[in-house]
């Protein structure tokens, strides 16, 4: 590993070894790497690396070049993601056919966290840069080792239990971010209908200089979709992790873990992708506080529909406790811009911004419902 002064890339070996032991060791990976991997590597080198902000992209990540323990962990996660995407199918919500979907990692020469969706040579690709995966892994480990988090979840943790929690958070968060990218395809957001060599959906891009409320509303739409995917998988179909949940309400701990993990990740990504100089009206993504508001509403609605978690989990007191724990993961250098953002959102102009943004979000969902009815 290279030196990493801001903590994005960490020394993985000891920590990922512990996480790997918590994984499904006997799981069979049903994935054919050959064709998609070759096509992906060619596309990154010939096209994606020429995109603005992607000049540090070197090609498809060769897991064999990583520490063996980290490589094994990412290999297992990749297999589970590709199996899940295969089950999801290659059809949009509107019925359009997509090429088979393949999830993979990008090798980069810098510390840029990013995600992309594109189509090439008969495949739809969802790819994350290694620094983005590292950021999620680093955050999951820190959360799993936090006594404050353990207290909020009302579990006993330390040693094996802490590793179990870190493993759960890592899989939850990576599943959320991959599902978010898949949502742009499935929901046919602007720019994804005809993806090709010259058309790549890039998750984190520089400010375009104009108002981007509709694009931000699509990000909220993708967040809501991804949250539903994660909740359906972890709270409805996945077997319990008994080491964590003995004597506790499994669904409540899973929901709390998901909320806390996503809150913390949005806060962590603030440092990488926002500056105080970018107006919220012009940014490509809504600020974390707004995304969290939308996420909580989505999770509460899901619980109300499925009768899974007591509504008390979404009380102001409980949510404030999770939020206070999450903001600890904003790097110190980003705190001033975060404080400016929070102050702005409480102004009349900030309230108007939020009103218009959620109006766009509601409009997108209503139009889709009318189209499908």
């Amino acid at each position: 590993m290279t030196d990493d002064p801001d903590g994005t890339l960490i020394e993985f070996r000891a920590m990922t070894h512990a996480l790997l032991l918590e994984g499904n060791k006997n799981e069979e990976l049903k994935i054919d790497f050959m064709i998609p991997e070759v096509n992906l590597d060619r596309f990154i080198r010939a096209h994606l690396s020429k995109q603005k902000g992607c000049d540090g992209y070197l090609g498809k990540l060769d897991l064999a070049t990583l520490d063996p323990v980290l490589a094994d962990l990412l290999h297992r996660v990749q297999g589970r993601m590709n199996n899940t995407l295969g089950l999801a199918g290659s059809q949009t919500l509107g019925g359009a056919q997509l090429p088979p979907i393949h999830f993979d990692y990008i090798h980069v020469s810098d510390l840029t966290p990013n995600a992309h969706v594109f189509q090439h040579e008969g495949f739809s690709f969802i790819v994350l840069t290694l620094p983005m995966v590292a950021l999620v892994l680093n955050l999951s480990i820190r959360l799993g080792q936090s006594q404050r988090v353990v207290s909020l979840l009302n579990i006993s943790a330390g040693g094996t239990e802490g590793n179990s929690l870190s493993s759960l958070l890592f899989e939850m968060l990576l599943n959320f971010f991959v599902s978010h990218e898949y949502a742009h395809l499935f929901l046919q957001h602007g720019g994804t209908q005809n993806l090709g060599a010259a058309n790549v959906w890039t998750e984190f891009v520089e400010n375009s200089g104009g108002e981007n409320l509709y694009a931000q509303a699509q990000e909220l739409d993708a967040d809501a979709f991804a949250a539903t995917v994660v909740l359906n998988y972890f709270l409805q179909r996945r077997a319990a992790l008994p080491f964590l949940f003995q004597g506790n309400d499994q669904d409540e701990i899973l929901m709390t873990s998901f909320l806390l993990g996503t809150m913390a990740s949005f806060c962590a990504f603030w440092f990488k992708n926002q500056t105080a100089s970018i107006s919220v009206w012009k940014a490509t993504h809504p600020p974390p506080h707004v995304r969290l508001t939308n996420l909580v509403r989505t999770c509460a609605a899901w619980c109300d529909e499925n009768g899974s978690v007591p509504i008390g989990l979404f009380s102001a007191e409980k949510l404030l406790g999770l939020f206070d724990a999450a903001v600890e993961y904003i790097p110190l250098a980003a705190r001033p811009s975060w404080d400016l953002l929070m102050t702005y959102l409480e102004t009349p102009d900030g309230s108007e911004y939020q009103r218009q943004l959620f109006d766009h979000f509601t409009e997108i969902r209503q139009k889709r419902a009318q189209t499908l009815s």
Side-chain angles (χ1 to χ4, degrees):
M1 286 296 193
T2 58
D3 291 337
D4 178 33
D6 71 352
T8 302
L9 293 177
I10 60 176
E11 176 56 52
F12 290 105
R13 185 172 183 81
M15 289 176 282
T16 54
H17 179 67
L19 296 185
L20 186 59
L21 293 177
E22 294 299 322
N24 299 322
K25 301 180 182 65
N26 298 320
E27 181 178 3
E28 294 182 2
L29 303 182
K30 303 172 183 177
I31 177 172
D32 176 7
F33 287 107
M34 293 305 296
I35 295 177
E37 286 199 332
V38 171
N39 291 338
L40 173 61
D41 188 68
R42 290 172 178 169
F43 181 87
I44 294 172
R45 295 172 185 274
H47 300 287
L48 190 54
S49 63
K50 307 299 190 296
Q51 298 271 334
K52 185 177 181 180
C54 300
D55 53 318
Y57 287 23
L58 304 177
K60 179 227 171 302
L61 178 65
D62 181 1
L63 295 180
T65 63
L66 301 179
D67 178 281
V69 177
L70 173 61
D72 201 4
L73 175 64
L74 297 188
H75 181 73
R76 291 179 184 278
V77 170
Q78 182 184 36
R80 286 194 289 271
M81 292 296 177
N82 277 310
N83 285 337
T84 301
L85 290 169
L87 292 173
S90 298
Q91 189 177 63
T92 69
L93 188 62
Q97 290 297 316
L98 295 168
I101 302 172
H102 177 76
F103 166 68
D104 219 314
Y105 312 105
I106 301 178
H107 180 38
V108 297
S109 61
D110 53 26
L111 299 179
T112 303
N114 216 328
H116 305 274
V117 179
F118 53 86
Q119 294 175 16
H120 182 62
E121 296 293 334
F123 286 90
S124 299
F125 290 101
I126 297 174
V127 291
L128 306 181
T129 64
L130 181 58
M132 182 164 179
V133 177
L135 186 59
V136 175
L137 178 57
N138 190 2
L139 180 64
S140 301
I141 293 170
R142 292 173 63 194
L143 287 167
Q145 295 175 342
S146 167
Q147 290 301 312
R148 182 173 186 178
V149 170
V150 168
S151 177
L152 284 169
L153 295 177
N154 192 28
I155 61 175
S156 60
T160 303
E161 293 91 339
N163 294 334
S164 295
L165 178 57
S166 294
S167 180
L168 170 67
L169 288 166
F170 179 60
E171 188 169 357
M172 270 188 165
L173 292 177
L174 211 61
N175 192 306
F176 175 78
F177 288 117
V178 172
S179 297
H180 177 102
E181 300 309 314
Y182 173 71
H184 290 311
L185 283 175
F186 182 73
L187 301 175
Q188 294 184 287
H189 287 158
T192 63
Q193 288 89 338
N194 298 293
L195 289 177
N199 195 350
V200 177
W201 179 281
T202 298
E203 190 62 26
F204 302 123
V205 296
E206 293 182 11
N207 175 34
S208 64
E211 288 197 6
N212 287 318
L213 291 189
Y214 194 79
Q216 291 185 41
Q218 289 183 328
E219 294 299 331
L220 294 181
D221 196 25
D223 281 348
F225 177 92
T228 300
V229 169
V230 172
L231 296 179
N232 285 341
Y233 177 66
F234 283 91
L235 272 71
Q236 286 194 335
R237 294 196 291 271
R238 184 179 175 87
L241 299 177
F243 226 28
L244 281 177
F245 304 131
Q246 285 182 344
N248 295 290
D249 186 308
Q250 171 184 326
D251 281 3
E252 187 167 348
I253 292 178
L254 284 168
M255 176 65 77
T256 306
S257 298
F258 174 63
L259 286 172
L260 180 59
T262 47
M263 286 180 180
S265 63
F266 288 156
C267 291
F269 279 134
W270 171 258
F271 176 66
K272 295 297 179 183
N273 299 292
Q274 303 287 348
T275 67
S277 63
I278 296 179
S279 165
V280 294
W281 296 87
K282 300 177 181 180
T284 58
H285 286 60
H289 177 73
V290 176
R291 295 182 74 174
L292 294 176
T293 299
N294 179 58
L295 193 73
V296 168
R297 290 175 181 174
T298 300
C299 292
W302 187 92
C303 289
D304 184 57
E305 181 178 346
N306 292 276
S308 179
V309 176
I311 198 65
L313 175 63
F314 299 96
S315 68
E317 182 181 359
K318 287 285 184 92
L319 292 174
L320 183 60
L322 296 179
F323 186 73
D324 285 345
V327 296
E328 292 181 1
Y329 297 91
I330 304 172
L332 291 177
R335 296 292 173 88
S337 63
W338 177 271
D339 292 341
L340 287 173
L341 165 71
M342 297 301 291
T343 300
Y344 170 76
L345 291 176
E346 295 176 354
T347 66
D349 191 59
S351 297
E352 178 62 17
Y353 155 75
Q354 294 177 77
R355 186 194 67 77
Q356 290 191 31
L357 174 59
F358 279 105
D359 282 349
H360 280 295
F361 172 63
T362 301
E363 178 186 354
I364 288 173
R365 296 171 71 86
Q366 288 178 342
K367 284 184 177 179
R368 185 164 60 236
Q370 292 171 1
T371 301
L372 297 173
S373 62

mmCIF file of all heavy atoms in Angstrom, residues 38-52:
data_model
loop_
_atom_site.group_PDB
_atom_site.id
_atom_site.type_symbol
_atom_site.label_atom_id
_atom_site.label_comp_id
_atom_site.label_asym_id
_atom_site.label_seq_id
_atom_site.Cartn_x
_atom_site.Cartn_y
_atom_site.Cartn_z
ATOM 1 N N VAL A 38 -12.265 -8.539 -19.629
ATOM 2 C CA VAL A 38 -11.441 -8.081 -20.753
ATOM 3 C C VAL A 38 -12.048 -6.841 -21.383
ATOM 4 O O VAL A 38 -11.360 -5.846 -21.656
ATOM 5 C CB VAL A 38 -11.277 -9.203 -21.788
ATOM 6 C CG1 VAL A 38 -10.614 -8.659 -23.063
ATOM 7 C CG2 VAL A 38 -10.456 -10.348 -21.221
ATOM 8 N N ASN A 39 -13.363 -6.878 -21.624
ATOM 9 C CA ASN A 39 -14.028 -5.728 -22.227
ATOM 10 C C ASN A 39 -13.966 -4.499 -21.327
ATOM 11 O O ASN A 39 -13.805 -3.375 -21.793
ATOM 12 C CB ASN A 39 -15.492 -6.074 -22.534
ATOM 13 C CG ASN A 39 -15.623 -7.079 -23.663
ATOM 14 O OD1 ASN A 39 -14.705 -7.220 -24.479
ATOM 15 N ND2 ASN A 39 -16.734 -7.776 -23.707
ATOM 16 N N LEU A 40 -14.102 -4.726 -20.029
ATOM 17 C CA LEU A 40 -14.033 -3.620 -19.080
ATOM 18 C C LEU A 40 -12.665 -2.959 -19.116
ATOM 19 O O LEU A 40 -12.556 -1.728 -19.171
ATOM 20 C CB LEU A 40 -14.346 -4.127 -17.667
ATOM 21 C CG LEU A 40 -14.140 -3.117 -16.535
ATOM 22 C CD1 LEU A 40 -15.050 -1.909 -16.715
ATOM 23 C CD2 LEU A 40 -14.399 -3.786 -15.187
ATOM 24 N N ASP A 41 -11.625 -3.752 -19.069
ATOM 25 C CA ASP A 41 -10.273 -3.197 -19.059
ATOM 26 C C ASP A 41 -10.010 -2.378 -20.328
ATOM 27 O O ASP A 41 -9.450 -1.275 -20.258
ATOM 28 C CB ASP A 41 -9.245 -4.325 -18.945
ATOM 29 C CG ASP A 41 -7.840 -3.800 -18.733
ATOM 30 O OD1 ASP A 41 -7.577 -3.229 -17.650
ATOM 31 O OD2 ASP A 41 -7.002 -3.937 -19.656
ATOM 32 N N ARG A 42 -10.438 -2.878 -21.458
ATOM 33 C CA ARG A 42 -10.245 -2.155 -22.722
ATOM 34 C C ARG A 42 -10.995 -0.829 -22.714
ATOM 35 O O ARG A 42 -10.485 0.205 -23.166
ATOM 36 C CB ARG A 42 -10.713 -3.020 -23.888
ATOM 37 C CG ARG A 42 -9.816 -4.222 -24.168
ATOM 38 C CD ARG A 42 -10.450 -5.120 -25.204
ATOM 39 N NE ARG A 42 -9.600 -6.260 -25.527
ATOM 40 C CZ ARG A 42 -10.004 -7.310 -26.234
ATOM 41 N NH1 ARG A 42 -11.248 -7.358 -26.692
ATOM 42 N NH2 ARG A 42 -9.165 -8.305 -26.481
ATOM 43 N N PHE A 43 -12.233 -0.858 -22.195
ATOM 44 C CA PHE A 43 -13.038 0.358 -22.201
ATOM 45 C C PHE A 43 -12.427 1.427 -21.293
ATOM 46 O O PHE A 43 -12.374 2.607 -21.643
ATOM 47 C CB PHE A 43 -14.465 0.044 -21.748
ATOM 48 C CG PHE A 43 -15.380 1.240 -21.756
ATOM 49 C CD1 PHE A 43 -16.064 1.593 -22.913
ATOM 50 C CD2 PHE A 43 -15.541 2.021 -20.631
ATOM 51 C CE1 PHE A 43 -16.904 2.701 -22.928
ATOM 52 C CE2 PHE A 43 -16.373 3.131 -20.635
ATOM 53 C CZ PHE A 43 -17.054 3.461 -21.795
ATOM 54 N N ILE A 44 -11.976 1.010 -20.109
ATOM 55 C CA ILE A 44 -11.391 1.970 -19.177
ATOM 56 C C ILE A 44 -10.172 2.642 -19.793
ATOM 57 O O ILE A 44 -10.012 3.866 -19.739
ATOM 58 C CB ILE A 44 -11.010 1.277 -17.858
ATOM 59 C CG1 ILE A 44 -12.255 0.792 -17.129
ATOM 60 C CG2 ILE A 44 -10.207 2.233 -16.962
ATOM 61 C CD1 ILE A 44 -11.959 -0.076 -15.922
ATOM 62 N N ARG A 45 -9.313 1.840 -20.407
ATOM 63 C CA ARG A 45 -8.084 2.387 -20.979
ATOM 64 C C ARG A 45 -8.350 3.257 -22.204
ATOM 65 O O ARG A 45 -7.725 4.312 -22.373
ATOM 66 C CB ARG A 45 -7.130 1.242 -21.348
ATOM 67 C CG ARG A 45 -6.632 0.446 -20.148
ATOM 68 C CD ARG A 45 -5.844 -0.781 -20.581
ATOM 69 N NE ARG A 45 -5.464 -1.608 -19.463
ATOM 70 C CZ ARG A 45 -4.376 -1.436 -18.731
ATOM 71 N NH1 ARG A 45 -3.543 -0.445 -19.019
ATOM 72 N NH2 ARG A 45 -4.111 -2.242 -17.715
ATOM 73 N N ALA A 46 -9.284 2.816 -23.060
ATOM 74 C CA ALA A 46 -9.499 3.515 -24.329
ATOM 75 C C ALA A 46 -10.473 4.680 -24.223
ATOM 76 O O ALA A 46 -10.357 5.649 -24.973
ATOM 77 C CB ALA A 46 -10.011 2.517 -25.381
ATOM 78 N N HIS A 47 -11.439 4.606 -23.294
ATOM 79 C CA HIS A 47 -12.498 5.612 -23.261
ATOM 80 C C HIS A 47 -12.655 6.296 -21.908
ATOM 81 O O HIS A 47 -12.622 7.526 -21.827
ATOM 82 C CB HIS A 47 -13.840 4.973 -23.670
ATOM 83 C CG HIS A 47 -13.845 4.384 -25.038
ATOM 84 N ND1 HIS A 47 -13.853 5.151 -26.184
ATOM 85 C CD2 HIS A 47 -13.828 3.091 -25.450
ATOM 86 C CE1 HIS A 47 -13.843 4.362 -27.252
ATOM 87 N NE2 HIS A 47 -13.839 3.110 -26.831
ATOM 88 N N LEU A 48 -12.852 5.516 -20.845
ATOM 89 C CA LEU A 48 -13.166 6.121 -19.554
ATOM 90 C C LEU A 48 -12.017 6.992 -19.046
ATOM 91 O O LEU A 48 -12.239 8.047 -18.447
ATOM 92 C CB LEU A 48 -13.502 5.030 -18.530
ATOM 93 C CG LEU A 48 -14.085 5.509 -17.191
ATOM 94 C CD1 LEU A 48 -15.315 6.387 -17.408
ATOM 95 C CD2 LEU A 48 -14.426 4.321 -16.307
ATOM 96 N N SER A 49 -10.792 6.565 -19.272
ATOM 97 C CA SER A 49 -9.639 7.346 -18.813
ATOM 98 C C SER A 49 -9.529 8.689 -19.520
ATOM 99 O O SER A 49 -8.806 9.575 -19.067
ATOM 100 C CB SER A 49 -8.346 6.557 -19.021
ATOM 101 O OG SER A 49 -8.121 6.308 -20.403
ATOM 102 N N LYS A 50 -10.263 8.866 -20.630
ATOM 103 C CA LYS A 50 -10.250 10.131 -21.363
ATOM 104 C C LYS A 50 -11.325 11.090 -20.864
ATOM 105 O O LYS A 50 -11.357 12.252 -21.268
ATOM 106 C CB LYS A 50 -10.463 9.875 -22.861
ATOM 107 C CG LYS A 50 -9.507 8.856 -23.481
ATOM 108 C CD LYS A 50 -8.064 9.285 -23.371
ATOM 109 C CE LYS A 50 -7.134 8.409 -24.192
ATOM 110 N NZ LYS A 50 -7.085 7.005 -23.741
ATOM 111 N N GLN A 51 -12.231 10.603 -19.997
ATOM 112 C CA GLN A 51 -13.287 11.455 -19.464
ATOM 113 C C GLN A 51 -12.694 12.458 -18.470
ATOM 114 O O GLN A 51 -11.670 12.197 -17.825
ATOM 115 C CB GLN A 51 -14.347 10.599 -18.753
ATOM 116 C CG GLN A 51 -15.057 9.602 -19.642
ATOM 117 C CD GLN A 51 -16.289 10.186 -20.295
ATOM 118 O OE1 GLN A 51 -16.897 11.119 -19.783
ATOM 119 N NE2 GLN A 51 -16.674 9.640 -21.435
ATOM 120 N N LYS A 52 -13.353 13.603 -18.339
ATOM 121 C CA LYS A 52 -12.899 14.620 -17.419
ATOM 122 C C LYS A 52 -12.868 14.065 -15.993
ATOM 123 O O LYS A 52 -13.842 13.478 -15.519
ATOM 124 C CB LYS A 52 -13.824 15.837 -17.484
ATOM 125 C CG LYS A 52 -13.345 17.011 -16.634
ATOM 126 C CD LYS A 52 -14.256 18.218 -16.801
ATOM 127 C CE LYS A 52 -13.762 19.401 -15.979
ATOM 128 N NZ LYS A 52 -14.645 20.594 -16.132
#
